[in-house]
Amino acid sequence: MKHYSFLLLLALLCCNKPKNNSETTATNSDEPTKAINDTIPLTREKVEKSPIASYSEKVKDDLNDWRFAVDVYETPQTFKFLMKIEYMVQEAEDTLTIPNFGIMPKVEVRKGPDENSCIVGFLDKQGEFKDYKLIALKEKQLKISTLKYYGRARYKVSK
């Protein structure tokens, strides 16, 4: 019975999140604190039609001019992107969601560890590349793997 009570309490706490980042919240002290508003809008005013990041390499084939290619496109949501992937005659799409670190997201696509592979990632606040997804071939089939998961949290230190 204790386990069910704990799970119910946890569910209630998770569902009772503030709806707006600018809401005033109470802490253990008597002073209310105001959460910092993010400065990056959640939607884009103008969505770029051409790819914002790309990678392409020729597939070894004597008869055809095939490519392994990945193009990343903006969507109306600032932190979501559309990846279009091509290998020979195979085509695939996947989404990429970048965490909001308080800067405009900068997506990059870099050469992967193997032939016909690439890593899609983003630059953090320090300009360091964070690998996110690996796009590669496995038995001549496209495979998309998440390499790492990223998130952002804010903590308030009590006095």
Side-chain angles (χ1 to χ4, degrees):
M1 185 66 179
K2 289 180 183 179
H3 296 291
Y4 294 116
S5 299
F6 175 74
L7 291 175
L8 180 61
L9 179 62
L10 183 62
L12 288 173
L13 288 173
C14 290
C15 294
N16 195 18
K17 291 182 182 175
K19 290 181 176 48
N20 188 340
N21 279 348
S22 64
E23 281 188 22
T24 301
T25 57
T27 61
N28 290 342
S29 69
D30 291 336
E31 298 176 26
T33 59
K34 193 165 187 135
I36 299 170
N37 251 340
D38 289 326
T39 57
I40 307 300
L42 297 178
T43 57
R44 291 187 174 90
E45 289 184 22
K46 181 182 176 230
V47 177
E48 185 67 40
K49 299 291 182 203
S50 58
I52 57 147
S54 295
Y55 178 81
S56 178
E57 67 181 73
K58 186 169 176 27
V59 173
K60 290 181 183 174
D61 187 304
D62 294 334
L63 301 176
N64 299 297
D65 185 27
W66 282 328
R67 305 197 76 66
F68 168 77
V70 176
D71 292 317
V72 181
Y73 294 88
E74 290 181 342
T75 68
Q77 295 174 316
T78 304
F79 297 97
K80 290 195 183 230
F81 298 86
L82 174 66
M83 297 188 302
K84 293 188 177 183
I85 305 152
E86 178 184 337
Y87 171 69
M88 298 171 86
V89 294
Q90 298 178 51
E91 293 182 355
E93 290 185 354
D94 192 24
T95 57
L96 180 73
T97 303
I98 305 298
N100 181 350
F101 289 122
I103 60 171
M104 285 301 286
K106 294 178 185 143
V107 176
E108 287 190 3
V109 186
R110 296 185 176 181
K111 171 86 176 110
D114 301 316
E115 184 177 25
N116 296 322
S117 72
C118 66
I119 296 174
V120 180
F122 60 93
L123 301 180
D124 66 6
K125 280 187 170 186
Q126 290 75 34
E128 293 181 34
F129 182 74
K130 300 294 183 186
D131 50 340
Y132 195 0
K133 292 194 177 189
L134 171 67
I135 302 170
L137 297 177
K138 185 173 184 178
E139 299 173 9
K140 295 195 177 194
Q141 295 292 315
L142 286 170
K143 180 173 170 65
I144 303 167
S145 306
T146 301
L147 298 171
K148 295 181 183 174
Y149 294 93
Y150 297 92
R152 180 186 78 160
R154 289 197 180 140
Y155 299 97
K156 177 167 171 65
V157 179
S158 298
K159 292 181 183 179

